[in-house]
Amino acid sequence: ALTLLPPLGSCARPPCPCPDASHCALPAWAAASKRREVFGFRTASGGASWEAYDWTRLTTLAWVQPEDAQAACYAHAHGARAVSKARGVNATWLATADDSELRRLADSLAEDAHDRWLDGVNFDMESPLSPEEKEDGAARDAYTKLVRHTAARSRALLGAAAQTSVDVAWAPSGVDGRYYDYVGLADAADLLFVMAYDAQSQNTQSRCLASANSPYELVRAGLEQWSAVLGGAPDMKAKLVLGLPWYGYRYACDWSAGPPGGDTSPPLCVLPSVPFRGASCSDAAGGEVGYAKLMATLRNASGAEVRRDPASRSPSFQTTDAATGVTQYWFDDAASLSVKVALADSGG
């Protein structure tokens, strides 16, 4: 028997899930637009919080889940893309995957986006590469091939406006062991989302201290490194999207003192050592806290005041409780975010 497969780009889709069928696809004006990219993520907590996003600015909503069909409809109604998260991707699997396996996964990722009326795929692999993997390049090269195959298959199924993006660390210098082929990834993908946060994941301080989630100087240095790695080519630099946090960290201090010199900087908060990927200190000593919860904590804490660290240009406050001791919170607000947005503006 002869089985005829449909040509690329003509696969049948499930019925449109949107009440208004015109919202099942990205509007033509948005697909052709060269707007500045404003890339946001679906919150992990679920709910309909995406409706409260600023849809006059947002251009892409990432990590749309199968149960989120209406989020994709809402995004399209406002001229924004909706993209899925690539699952099943890690360095261990990539190290042994051959080209046919990479293509099968790429096909699956693109077809899932197609079947759910989405506009592309976002990759967020954060697996470290071992010294052997870093040297022989098997996992590194396979990751680049997978992204390239997915981008090609997505364009075939979804059209030229399909978007393939890759989340990358705040700097291309092997942060957390992520020694990837960043030039190849930038060439294969439509954009690189620079995660300019969780900067305390590996900290080699002589003693472990609570500090900023997204310190200004590290963000600035990271963007300069990205520009250098990509060769300063305008078409490659244009693929960089600066990712900034709308959450912070809560740290239980072993002890607290200061601030140094009696100024208005945050007090020192000494933490227990929680090693991570070769570093003796890490943000794993604390826990992530959403901005709304941080502000509620600040409002309800007696005597708590926001202090700004001049080095990181980030705000912090701390609370004291007879049962739990001293807790220090680091976060970002409009003031700390605006100086980092200015870095993206000045860097083009």
Side-chain angles (χ1 to χ4, degrees), residues 320-342:
T320 303
D321 182 88
T324 59
V326 176
T327 302
Q328 192 168 89
Y329 297 82
W330 286 83
F331 61 104
D332 276 275
D333 59 9
S336 67
L337 293 172
S338 64
V339 295
K340 288 175 279 201
V341 170

Side-chain angles (χ1 to χ4, degrees), residues 224-306:
E224 288 180 353
Q225 291 177 41
W226 277 112
S227 181
V229 163
L230 298 182
D235 59 329
M236 294 290 265
K237 283 181 62 179
K239 292 187 176 186
L240 293 176
V241 174
L242 177 62
L244 298 172
W246 204 238
Y247 69 95
Y249 275 83
R250 174 184 58 242
Y251 295 101
C253 309
D254 275 357
W255 64 268
S256 177
D263 60 21
T264 58
S265 301
L268 294 179
C269 171
V270 178
L271 305 172
S273 174
V274 181
F276 181 71
R277 296 182 183 175
S280 57
C281 306
S282 73
D283 53 21
E288 295 180 4
V289 186
Y291 182 78
K293 188 172 182 178
L294 279 163
M295 292 299 98
T297 301
L298 177 61
R299 287 192 301 270
N300 297 327
S302 176
E305 63 173 327
V306 174

Side-chain angles (χ1 to χ4, degrees), residues 59-185:
T59 58
T60 300
L61 178 66
W63 295 7
V64 176
Q65 303 298 320
E67 63 272 17
D68 276 346
Q70 294 310 306
C73 302
Y74 202 85
H76 292 154
H78 291 83
R81 288 178 174 84
V83 302
S84 64
K85 179 180 182 179
R87 300 189 180 277
V89 183
N90 59 71
T92 301
W93 179 80
L94 288 168
T96 59
D98 60 27
D99 193 65
S100 63
E101 291 173 307
L102 295 174
R103 288 183 182 277
R104 279 198 297 273
L105 180 55
D107 288 350
S108 175
L109 294 171
E111 288 162 10
D112 172 68
H114 172 270
D115 290 350
R116 293 199 285 126
W117 299 82
L118 302 180
D119 309 292
V121 181
N122 171 257
F123 286 86
D124 185 45
M125 188 180 83
E126 300 184 26
S127 304
L129 298 184
S130 68
E132 294 78 16
E133 290 167 330
K134 179 184 172 184
E135 292 302 321
D136 69 27
R140 179 195 65 212
D141 295 346
Y143 188 32
T144 303
K145 288 179 181 178
L146 175 62
V147 171
R148 194 177 301 280
H149 291 333
T150 303
R153 180 61 170 161
S154 295
R155 285 190 294 270
L157 285 175
L158 306 174
Q163 182 193 85
T164 301
S165 57
V166 180
D167 301 340
V168 295
W170 59 267
S173 53
V175 173
D176 297 345
R178 285 173 274 178
Y179 293 96
Y180 304 156
D181 172 18
Y182 290 119
V183 174
L185 289 171

Side-chain angles (χ1 to χ4, degrees), residues 18-56:
C18 303
D20 183 338
S22 69
H23 297 160
C24 267
L26 186 68
W29 68 263
S33 172
K34 300 298 182 182
R35 296 176 296 168
R36 176 179 181 172
E37 184 69 42
V38 179
F39 197 98
F41 287 86
R42 178 77 163 88
T43 59
S45 58
S49 59
W50 42 265
E51 292 180 329
Y53 292 176
D54 186 351
W55 290 96
T56 65

